[in-house]
Amino acid sequence: MKEEKFDNFFKSRLSNYESPIPDELWGKIRPNERRKTFLFYKWLAAFTLALFILGGGYWYFLHSGKSKINKTSKVANRKNLTQNDSLHLKKSLQHHTTTIRFQNNSHLSLTQKKLLKEETTIHPATNTFSFLPHKAEMIALPFSSFEIRHITNTNLNELLVQQHSLLLPSVAGKYITKEKTFSQLSENNSNTGKQQQKTKKATPFYIEWYAAPQWLWEETWNYTNQSYNYSLAANEEKRFSLQPRLSFATGIGITKPFSKHWSLKSGVHYSQVNEKYTYSQYPYARTVTSISQRDITVDNQPVIISDTAQYIQIGLEQRSGYNRYHSFHIPLLLSYTTEKDKNFSFAAHAGVMINIYNFYSGETMNKNAEIVPIKSDHYYKHHTGLGIYVGLRAEKKIQENIRLFAEPYWNAGFSNSTTSQTQYNRKLQTGGVAIGIQYKWQKKQATPQKNKVSNSIQ
Amino acid sequence: MTEEEIIKGCIENNAQYQRLLFDRYAGKLFTVCRRYAQNEEDAKDLLQETFTKIYTHIKQYKKEGSFEGWMRRIAVNTALKFIQKKRIVFTELSEKTHDVYRISESSLSRLKTEELLKLIQSLPPGYRTVFNLNVIEGYSHEEIAALLHIHPASSRSQLSKARLWLQKEIHKLENSLTEYERRKI
C-alpha cells in the first residue's frame, strides 16, 4: 500500500472520530463550579483576614482608648466626689499648694478664666497656676468636665493637664475614696503619672514581612493500601523516587502585644515545597549502530576497512521533573518576647496554622502504582486543615521603629496532604529560617504644647 | 442550539452553555488528546487542560476559520507543550525495520478506530508526535521542525519510521487474526 493511501486511511478514520468520554471527566473540568469553590475559599480567607484586622483594630482602640474608658469611671468618681467627698478633698489637700499646668486654655470659658485669675496664682514662666488647698474644691468643680491625662509629680505635686483634660476631682477622688493622705497622694501621683503615661501610650502593632529558604523536613510515609504487597511496593518505591529540593516561604504578619512579654500574631503565610521526582517506566528498546574503521595494508597499499555492528539496548525509560506543592496558611501564634525595647531581643512563637488553599504540579504514583499528574485534587488535597508552627526568633533594632529578625521555624500539618488514591500517605513538614523586617506602628499622641496658656490666662 | 449561541453563553461564563460545549466537542477533542498521549490518564489531563484553556480564552476566538478548528489547535498545542515538558527524546529506533510490510486495504478496513488509536498510542513518543502532526493535522515537515525544535530531515525520518512501525504492528495483528480464524474453521 502506498504511503499516501496509508496516511489517508488513518486521517479519514481518526479526524472526526469521537471518543467515548469517561463519566468523571466533566466533574474535573466544571469551570464555573470550580471558580465558585475557589471564590468561596477566597472569600473565606478574606473574611478571616478582615475579622482579624477588625478584631485587632477593635482591641487596639479599646486599649489605646483606655483613658476614654477611664473618663467614664472618672466622671462617675467626680460625681461622687462632688456630691459626697468634697470634704475629703479639702482635707487631703489642706497642707499643700497644688500647681496645675495648662497646655492650652483656649477651651476655657470666660468664667473659668476669671476664676483662675481670681483664685489662683499664675506663673507665666512655667505655664502653671497654683492655688491654696482650701480653694481646691472651688477650682476643681468648674473644671470637672475635663479629664486628667498626664500627671507628673515634682516636688510641688505638680499636675500636668492637657487640653480637654483636668483635674483634681478624678485623681483626688480616686485616692480620697481610698482614704489616703495627700502625702500618699503625692507619692502615688508620681507612680500614677508613670502608669498613666504608660497606659495612655497606645499599645503598638508590629507589622512584618519575611522570606524564608526552607526544606522539606520530614515526611510520614505509609501505604494507603494496607493489603498491598510490600515487597512489590518496595520495588515501586525504587521505581519512583523523590528528592527534596530547596524550597521557600514568604508572608506578612501582624503582632499585637497584650502584655509586656506576650503577644498574638497572625498574617498570611505562603509556602512552596519543591521536590525532584525520578521514575522509570515501560520497557524501552533501541538499536545502536556501531561503525569501526581499521587501516590495513594490502599489497603494500593502505586500505580502510569499516565494520558495522548493531545491538539492541533494552532498559527502562527514565523520566524526571519537579513536584511543587504550593500552600497558603493563616498562622495564629502566641509569642513570648524578651525586652522589646532593647537593641537585641528574642522571641518564641508557637501556635496553629490554618490551611486556606493548596495547589500542586508534578507527578506522583497512585495506589495502582501508575505515575499520574498530581495537579487535580484527586491525589493531593486542596485543604489540609490545621497544622502546628514553632519558631524561635532573634531581633535586632536598626531604627526606632524598625527591627530585623531571623527565625528558624518548623511547620507540620496535622492531617495527610495526600488522598487515599495515592500509593503513600504523606504529611508534609517544613523547616526553614525566615529573614524579615518588622515595623512598629503606634498611634501618635498629641504632643504637649508649652508656653501658650499663661498669657491668655493672665 | 447554534454554535454562536453556545460561544456567547460561554463568554458569559454560563455553566449550562459550557456544559453544552463540552458535550458537543469533548469526543472529538478527546480523540486528539488520545492520539498524542501515551496513556488514557495523560489524555484525560490533556482534555481537562484543553477545555480550561478554551473557556478562559474563548473571548479571543475571532471567528476566522472554524470554531472546531480553533479548539483543535488548542488541544494540539496543549499536547505539544505537554510533550515538551516531558522532554521526549526523538530516538532513532530499530534500524533493522526497513522491511516492507505488505498491508492490504481489506486488512486495514477490518481494523476498528479504537484499535487504530491504541496503535498510535503504542508508537514511541517522537514517532507518534510527528505522525499525528503530519498525517492527521497536515503540518509540513518544516512546520513540525519549527514546532518541535528538530531538523526537518529528522521529522521526515521519524514519520517514515512511524509508518513502518504501524505497518509492522498491523501486520502482526493481521497474522494473529488470520491464525485465529484458521483455527476457528
Side-chain angles (χ1 to χ4, degrees), chain A residues 89-101 119-123 126 128-137 139 152-160 167-168 182-183 185-186 189:
Chain A
L89 173 64
K90 258 184 169 177
K91 199 177 170 184
S92 301
L93 301 178
Q94 62 191 344
H95 300 300
H96 298 269
T97 300
T98 300
T99 307
I100 295 176
R101 175 184 290 159
E119 304 294 341
T120 63
T121 312
I122 308 286
H123 311 290
T126 53
T128 58
F129 65 92
S130 56
F131 54 90
L132 290 170
H134 68 275
K135 299 278 185 188
E137 192 178 10
I139 300 294
T152 56
N153 200 298
T154 59
N155 294 333
L156 283 172
N157 310 316
E158 180 188 75
L159 299 181
L160 174 67
L167 194 47
L168 288 173
F182 190 71
S183 53
L185 174 63
S186 308
N189 272 351

CSV table of all heavy atoms in Angstrom, one decimal, chain A residues 89-101 119-123 126 128-137 139 152-160 167-168 182-183 185-186 189:
chain,number,residue,atom,x,y,z
A,89,LEU,N,-11.6,65.8,100.0
A,89,LEU,CA,-10.7,66.5,99.0
A,89,LEU,C,-10.0,67.7,99.7
A,89,LEU,O,-8.8,67.8,99.7
A,89,LEU,CB,-11.5,67.0,97.8
A,89,LEU,CG,-10.7,67.9,96.8
A,89,LEU,CD1,-9.6,67.1,96.2
A,89,LEU,CD2,-11.6,68.4,95.8
A,90,LYS,N,-10.8,68.5,100.4
A,90,LYS,CA,-10.3,69.6,101.1
A,90,LYS,C,-9.3,69.2,102.1
A,90,LYS,O,-8.2,69.7,102.2
A,90,LYS,CB,-11.4,70.3,101.9
A,90,LYS,CG,-11.9,71.6,101.2
A,90,LYS,CD,-13.0,72.2,102.1
A,90,LYS,CE,-13.4,73.6,101.6
A,90,LYS,NZ,-14.5,74.1,102.4
A,91,LYS,N,-9.7,68.2,102.9
A,91,LYS,CA,-8.8,67.7,104.0
A,91,LYS,C,-7.5,67.2,103.4
A,91,LYS,O,-6.4,67.4,104.0
A,91,LYS,CB,-9.6,66.6,104.7
A,91,LYS,CG,-9.1,66.3,106.0
A,91,LYS,CD,-9.9,65.2,106.7
A,91,LYS,CE,-9.3,64.7,107.9
A,91,LYS,NZ,-10.0,63.6,108.5
A,92,SER,N,-7.6,66.5,102.4
A,92,SER,CA,-6.4,65.9,101.8
A,92,SER,C,-5.4,66.9,101.3
A,92,SER,O,-4.2,66.7,101.3
A,92,SER,CB,-6.7,65.0,100.7
A,92,SER,OG,-7.6,64.0,101.1
A,93,LEU,N,-5.9,68.0,100.8
A,93,LEU,CA,-5.1,69.0,100.2
A,93,LEU,C,-4.7,70.2,101.1
A,93,LEU,O,-4.1,71.1,100.7
A,93,LEU,CB,-5.7,69.5,98.9
A,93,LEU,CG,-6.1,68.5,97.9
A,93,LEU,CD1,-6.8,69.1,96.7
A,93,LEU,CD2,-4.8,67.7,97.4
A,94,GLN,N,-5.1,70.1,102.3
A,94,GLN,CA,-5.1,71.3,103.2
A,94,GLN,C,-3.7,71.8,103.4
A,94,GLN,O,-3.5,73.0,103.7
A,94,GLN,CB,-5.9,71.1,104.5
A,94,GLN,CG,-5.3,70.0,105.3
A,94,GLN,CD,-6.3,69.7,106.5
A,94,GLN,OE1,-7.2,70.5,106.7
A,94,GLN,NE2,-6.1,68.6,107.1
A,95,HIS,N,-2.7,71.0,103.4
A,95,HIS,CA,-1.4,71.5,103.8
A,95,HIS,C,-0.5,71.7,102.6
A,95,HIS,O,0.7,71.9,102.7
A,95,HIS,CB,-0.7,70.5,104.7
A,95,HIS,CG,-1.4,70.3,106.0
A,95,HIS,ND1,-1.7,71.3,106.8
A,95,HIS,CD2,-2.0,69.2,106.5
A,95,HIS,CE1,-2.4,70.8,107.9
A,95,HIS,NE2,-2.6,69.5,107.7
A,96,HIS,N,-1.0,71.6,101.4
A,96,HIS,CA,-0.2,71.8,100.2
A,96,HIS,C,-0.8,72.8,99.2
A,96,HIS,O,-1.9,72.9,99.2
A,96,HIS,CB,0.0,70.4,99.5
A,96,HIS,CG,0.6,69.4,100.4
A,96,HIS,ND1,2.0,69.2,100.4
A,96,HIS,CD2,0.1,68.5,101.3
A,96,HIS,CE1,2.2,68.2,101.3
A,96,HIS,NE2,1.1,67.8,101.9
A,97,THR,N,0.2,73.3,98.5
A,97,THR,CA,-0.2,74.1,97.4
A,97,THR,C,-0.1,73.3,96.2
A,97,THR,O,0.9,72.6,95.9
A,97,THR,CB,0.7,75.3,97.3
A,97,THR,OG1,0.6,76.1,98.5
A,97,THR,CG2,0.3,76.2,96.1
A,98,THR,N,-1.2,73.3,95.4
A,98,THR,CA,-1.1,72.4,94.2
A,98,THR,C,-0.9,73.3,93.0
A,98,THR,O,-1.6,74.4,92.9
A,98,THR,CB,-2.4,71.7,94.1
A,98,THR,OG1,-2.6,70.8,95.2
A,98,THR,CG2,-2.4,70.8,92.8
A,99,THR,N,0.0,72.9,92.2
A,99,THR,CA,0.2,73.7,90.9
A,99,THR,C,-0.3,72.9,89.7
A,99,THR,O,-0.1,71.7,89.6
A,99,THR,CB,1.7,73.9,90.8
A,99,THR,OG1,2.2,74.5,92.0
A,99,THR,CG2,2.0,74.8,89.6
A,100,ILE,N,-1.0,73.6,88.9
A,100,ILE,CA,-1.5,72.9,87.7
A,100,ILE,C,-1.0,73.6,86.5
A,100,ILE,O,-0.9,74.8,86.4
A,100,ILE,CB,-3.1,73.0,87.7
A,100,ILE,CG1,-3.6,72.2,88.9
A,100,ILE,CG2,-3.6,72.5,86.4
A,100,ILE,CD1,-5.1,72.3,89.1
A,101,ARG,N,-0.6,72.8,85.5
A,101,ARG,CA,0.0,73.3,84.3
A,101,ARG,C,-1.0,73.1,83.2
A,101,ARG,O,-1.5,72.0,82.9
A,101,ARG,CB,1.3,72.7,83.9
A,101,ARG,CG,1.8,73.2,82.6
A,101,ARG,CD,3.1,72.4,82.2
A,101,ARG,NE,4.2,72.8,83.1
A,101,ARG,CZ,5.3,72.1,83.3
A,101,ARG,NH1,5.4,71.0,82.7
A,101,ARG,NH2,6.2,72.5,84.0
A,119,GLU,N,-8.7,83.3,91.8
A,119,GLU,CA,-8.4,82.3,92.9
A,119,GLU,C,-7.1,81.7,92.8
A,119,GLU,O,-6.7,80.9,93.7
A,119,GLU,CB,-9.5,81.3,92.9
A,119,GLU,CG,-10.9,81.8,93.0
A,119,GLU,CD,-11.2,82.5,94.3
A,119,GLU,OE1,-10.5,82.3,95.3
A,119,GLU,OE2,-12.2,83.3,94.4
A,120,THR,N,-6.3,81.9,91.8
A,120,THR,CA,-5.0,81.2,91.7
A,120,THR,C,-3.9,82.2,91.4
A,120,THR,O,-4.1,83.3,91.1
A,120,THR,CB,-5.0,80.2,90.6
A,120,THR,OG1,-5.2,80.9,89.3
A,120,THR,CG2,-6.1,79.1,90.7
A,121,THR,N,-2.7,81.6,91.6
A,121,THR,CA,-1.6,82.4,91.2
A,121,THR,C,-1.0,81.9,89.9
A,121,THR,O,-0.7,80.7,89.8
A,121,THR,CB,-0.5,82.3,92.3
A,121,THR,OG1,-1.1,82.5,93.6
A,121,THR,CG2,0.7,83.3,92.1
A,122,ILE,N,-0.9,82.8,89.0
A,122,ILE,CA,-0.4,82.4,87.7
A,122,ILE,C,1.1,82.5,87.6
A,122,ILE,O,1.7,83.5,88.0
A,122,ILE,CB,-1.0,83.3,86.6
A,122,ILE,CG1,-2.5,83.4,86.7
A,122,ILE,CG2,-0.6,82.8,85.2
A,122,ILE,CD1,-3.3,82.1,86.3
A,123,HIS,N,1.7,81.5,87.0
A,123,HIS,CA,3.2,81.5,86.8
A,123,HIS,C,3.5,81.4,85.3
A,123,HIS,O,3.6,80.3,84.8
A,123,HIS,CB,3.9,80.3,87.6
A,123,HIS,CG,3.4,80.2,89.0
A,123,HIS,ND1,3.7,81.1,90.0
A,123,HIS,CD2,2.6,79.3,89.6
A,123,HIS,CE1,3.2,80.7,91.1
A,123,HIS,NE2,2.5,79.6,90.9
A,126,THR,N,6.2,79.1,83.7
A,126,THR,CA,6.1,77.7,83.7
A,126,THR,C,4.8,77.2,83.2
A,126,THR,O,4.4,76.0,83.2
A,126,THR,CB,6.3,77.1,85.1
A,126,THR,OG1,5.4,77.7,86.0
A,126,THR,CG2,7.7,77.2,85.6
A,128,THR,N,2.0,77.6,84.5
A,128,THR,CA,1.2,76.9,85.6
A,128,THR,C,0.5,77.9,86.4
A,128,THR,O,0.7,79.1,86.3
A,128,THR,CB,2.2,76.1,86.5
A,128,THR,OG1,3.1,77.1,87.0
A,128,THR,CG2,2.9,75.0,85.8
A,129,PHE,N,-0.4,77.4,87.1
A,129,PHE,CA,-1.1,78.2,88.1
A,129,PHE,C,-1.2,77.4,89.4
A,129,PHE,O,-1.2,76.2,89.3
A,129,PHE,CB,-2.4,78.8,87.7
A,129,PHE,CG,-3.5,77.7,87.5
A,129,PHE,CD1,-4.3,77.3,88.5
A,129,PHE,CD2,-3.6,77.1,86.2
A,129,PHE,CE1,-5.3,76.4,88.3
A,129,PHE,CE2,-4.6,76.1,86.1
A,129,PHE,CZ,-5.4,75.7,87.1
A,130,SER,N,-1.1,78.0,90.5
A,130,SER,CA,-1.2,77.3,91.8
A,130,SER,C,-2.3,77.9,92.6
A,130,SER,O,-2.7,79.0,92.4
A,130,SER,CB,0.1,77.3,92.5
A,130,SER,OG,0.5,78.7,92.7
A,131,PHE,N,-2.8,77.1,93.5
A,131,PHE,CA,-3.9,77.5,94.4
A,131,PHE,C,-3.7,76.9,95.7
A,131,PHE,O,-3.1,75.8,95.9
A,131,PHE,CB,-5.2,77.2,93.8
A,131,PHE,CG,-5.4,75.7,93.4
A,131,PHE,CD1,-5.9,74.9,94.4
A,131,PHE,CD2,-5.0,75.3,92.2
A,131,PHE,CE1,-6.1,73.5,94.0
A,131,PHE,CE2,-5.2,73.9,91.9
A,131,PHE,CZ,-5.7,73.0,92.8
A,132,LEU,N,-4.3,77.5,96.7
A,132,LEU,CA,-4.3,77.0,98.0
A,132,LEU,C,-5.2,75.9,98.2
A,132,LEU,O,-6.3,75.8,97.5
A,132,LEU,CB,-4.6,78.1,99.0
A,132,LEU,CG,-3.5,79.2,99.1
A,132,LEU,CD1,-4.0,80.4,99.9
A,132,LEU,CD2,-2.2,78.6,99.7
A,133,PRO,N,-4.9,75.0,99.1
A,133,PRO,CA,-5.8,73.8,99.3
A,133,PRO,C,-7.2,74.1,99.5
A,133,PRO,O,-8.1,73.5,99.0
A,133,PRO,CB,-5.2,73.2,100.5
A,133,PRO,CG,-3.8,73.6,100.6
A,133,PRO,CD,-3.8,75.0,100.0
A,134,HIS,N,-7.5,75.2,100.3
A,134,HIS,CA,-8.9,75.4,100.6
A,134,HIS,C,-9.7,75.9,99.4
A,134,HIS,O,-10.9,75.9,99.4
A,134,HIS,CB,-9.1,76.4,101.8
A,134,HIS,CG,-8.6,77.8,101.4
A,134,HIS,ND1,-7.3,78.2,101.5
A,134,HIS,CD2,-9.3,78.8,101.0
A,134,HIS,CE1,-7.2,79.4,101.1
A,134,HIS,NE2,-8.4,79.9,100.8
A,135,LYS,N,-8.9,76.2,98.3
A,135,LYS,CA,-9.6,76.6,97.1
A,135,LYS,C,-9.8,75.5,96.2
A,135,LYS,O,-10.4,75.6,95.1
A,135,LYS,CB,-8.7,77.7,96.4
A,135,LYS,CG,-8.5,78.9,97.1
A,135,LYS,CD,-9.7,79.9,97.0
A,135,LYS,CE,-9.4,81.2,97.7
A,135,LYS,NZ,-10.6,82.1,97.7
A,136,ALA,N,-9.3,74.3,96.6
A,136,ALA,CA,-9.3,73.2,95.7
A,136,ALA,C,-10.7,72.9,95.1
A,136,ALA,O,-10.9,72.7,93.9
A,136,ALA,CB,-8.7,72.0,96.4
A,137,GLU,N,-11.6,72.8,96.0
A,137,GLU,CA,-13.0,72.4,95.6
A,137,GLU,C,-13.5,73.5,94.6
A,137,GLU,O,-14.1,73.1,93.6
A,137,GLU,CB,-13.9,72.3,96.8
A,137,GLU,CG,-15.2,71.7,96.5
A,137,GLU,CD,-16.1,71.5,97.7
A,137,GLU,OE1,-15.7,72.1,98.7
A,137,GLU,OE2,-17.1,70.8,97.6
A,139,ILE,N,-11.8,75.4,92.7
A,139,ILE,CA,-11.1,75.3,91.4
A,139,ILE,C,-11.6,74.1,90.7
A,139,ILE,O,-11.8,74.1,89.5
A,139,ILE,CB,-9.6,75.3,91.6
A,139,ILE,CG1,-9.1,76.5,92.4
A,139,ILE,CG2,-8.9,75.1,90.3
A,139,ILE,CD1,-9.3,77.8,91.6
A,152,THR,N,2.3,64.6,86.3
A,152,THR,CA,3.7,64.5,86.7
A,152,THR,C,3.8,65.0,88.1
A,152,THR,O,3.1,66.0,88.5
A,152,THR,CB,4.6,65.2,85.8
A,152,THR,OG1,4.2,66.6,85.7
A,152,THR,CG2,4.6,64.7,84.4
A,153,ASN,N,4.7,64.5,88.8
A,153,ASN,CA,4.8,64.9,90.2
A,153,ASN,C,6.2,65.4,90.5
A,153,ASN,O,7.1,64.6,90.4
A,153,ASN,CB,4.4,63.8,91.2
A,153,ASN,CG,4.0,64.4,92.5
A,153,ASN,OD1,4.8,65.0,93.1
A,153,ASN,ND2,2.8,64.2,92.9
A,154,THR,N,6.3,66.6,90.7
A,154,THR,CA,7.6,67.2,91.1
A,154,THR,C,7.6,67.4,92.6
A,154,THR,O,6.7,66.9,93.3
A,154,THR,CB,7.9,68.5,90.3
A,154,THR,OG1,6.9,69.4,90.7
A,154,THR,CG2,7.9,68.2,88.8
A,155,ASN,N,8.5,68.2,93.0
A,155,ASN,CA,8.5,68.5,94.5
A,155,ASN,C,7.2,69.1,94.9
A,155,ASN,O,6.8,69.0,96.1
A,155,ASN,CB,9.6,69.4,94.8
A,155,ASN,CG,10.9,68.7,94.6
A,155,ASN,OD1,11.0,67.5,94.6
A,155,ASN,ND2,12.0,69.5,94.2
A,156,LEU,N,6.6,69.9,94.0
A,156,LEU,CA,5.4,70.6,94.4
A,156,LEU,C,4.1,69.9,94.0
A,156,LEU,O,3.0,70.6,93.9
A,156,LEU,CB,5.4,72.0,93.8
A,156,LEU,CG,6.4,73.0,94.5
A,156,LEU,CD1,6.5,74.2,93.6
A,156,LEU,CD2,5.9,73.3,95.9
A,157,ASN,N,4.1,68.7,93.8
A,157,ASN,CA,2.9,68.0,93.4
A,157,ASN,C,2.3,68.6,92.2
A,157,ASN,O,1.1,68.9,92.1
A,157,ASN,CB,1.9,67.9,94.5
A,157,ASN,CG,2.4,67.5,95.8
A,157,ASN,OD1,3.2,66.5,95.8
A,157,ASN,ND2,2.1,68.2,96.9
A,158,GLU,N,3.1,68.8,91.2
A,158,GLU,CA,2.6,69.5,90.0
A,158,GLU,C,1.8,68.6,89.2
A,158,GLU,O,2.1,67.4,88.9
A,158,GLU,CB,3.8,70.0,89.2
A,158,GLU,CG,3.4,70.7,88.0
A,158,GLU,CD,4.7,70.9,87.1
A,158,GLU,OE1,5.1,70.0,86.5
A,158,GLU,OE2,5.1,72.1,87.1
A,159,LEU,N,0.6,69.0,88.8
A,159,LEU,CA,-0.2,68.2,88.0
A,159,LEU,C,-0.2,68.8,86.5
A,159,LEU,O,-0.4,70.0,86.3
A,159,LEU,CB,-1.7,68.3,88.5
A,159,LEU,CG,-1.9,67.7,89.9
A,159,LEU,CD1,-3.4,67.8,90.2
A,159,LEU,CD2,-1.4,66.3,90.0
A,160,LEU,N,0.1,68.0,85.6
A,160,LEU,CA,0.1,68.4,84.2
A,160,LEU,C,-1.2,68.1,83.6
A,160,LEU,O,-1.7,67.0,83.6
A,160,LEU,CB,1.3,67.7,83.5
A,160,LEU,CG,1.4,68.0,82.0
A,160,LEU,CD1,1.8,69.4,81.7
A,160,LEU,CD2,2.3,67.0,81.4
A,167,LEU,N,-8.5,67.0,86.1
A,167,LEU,CA,-8.1,67.9,87.1
A,167,LEU,C,-8.0,67.1,88.4
A,167,LEU,O,-7.9,65.9,88.4
A,167,LEU,CB,-9.0,69.1,87.2
A,167,LEU,CG,-8.5,70.3,88.0
A,167,LEU,CD1,-7.1,70.7,87.6
A,167,LEU,CD2,-9.4,71.5,87.9
A,168,LEU,N,-8.4,67.8,89.3
A,168,LEU,CA,-8.3,67.2,90.7
A,168,LEU,C,-9.3,66.1,91.0
A,168,LEU,O,-9.0,65.1,91.6
A,168,LEU,CB,-8.3,68.2,91.7
A,168,LEU,CG,-7.0,69.1,91.8
A,168,LEU,CD1,-7.2,70.2,92.7
A,168,LEU,CD2,-5.9,68.2,92.2
A,182,PHE,N,-2.7,63.1,101.6
A,182,PHE,CA,-2.2,63.8,100.5
A,182,PHE,C,-0.7,63.5,100.2
A,182,PHE,O,-0.2,63.4,99.1
A,182,PHE,CB,-2.3,65.3,100.6
A,182,PHE,CG,-2.0,66.0,99.3
A,182,PHE,CD1,-2.9,65.8,98.2
A,182,PHE,CD2,-0.9,66.7,99.1
A,182,PHE,CE1,-2.6,66.4,97.0
A,182,PHE,CE2,-0.6,67.3,97.9
A,182,PHE,CZ,-1.4,67.1,96.8
A,183,SER,N,0.0,63.2,101.3
A,183,SER,CA,1.4,62.8,101.1
A,183,SER,C,1.5,61.5,100.3
A,183,SER,O,2.3,61.3,99.4
A,183,SER,CB,2.2,62.7,102.4
A,183,SER,OG,1.5,61.9,103.3
A,185,LEU,N,-0.9,60.6,98.4
A,185,LEU,CA,-1.4,61.0,97.1
A,185,LEU,C,-0.2,61.5,96.2
A,185,LEU,O,-0.1,61.1,95.1
A,185,LEU,CB,-2.4,62.1,97.2
A,185,LEU,CG,-3.0,62.7,95.9
A,185,LEU,CD1,-3.6,61.7,95.0
A,185,LEU,CD2,-3.9,63.8,96.2
A,186,SER,N,0.6,62.4,96.9
A,186,SER,CA,1.8,62.9,96.1
A,186,SER,C,2.7,61.8,95.6
A,186,SER,O,3.1,61.7,94.5
A,186,SER,CB,2.6,63.8,97.0
A,186,SER,OG,1.8,64.8,97.6
A,189,ASN,N,0.8,59.9,93.1
A,189,ASN,CA,0.7,60.7,91.8
A,189,ASN,C,1.9,60.5,90.9
A,189,ASN,O,1.8,60.4,89.7
A,189,ASN,CB,0.7,62.2,92.2
A,189,ASN,CG,-0.8,62.6,92.4
A,189,ASN,OD1,-1.7,61.9,92.1
A,189,ASN,ND2,-0.9,63.8,92.9
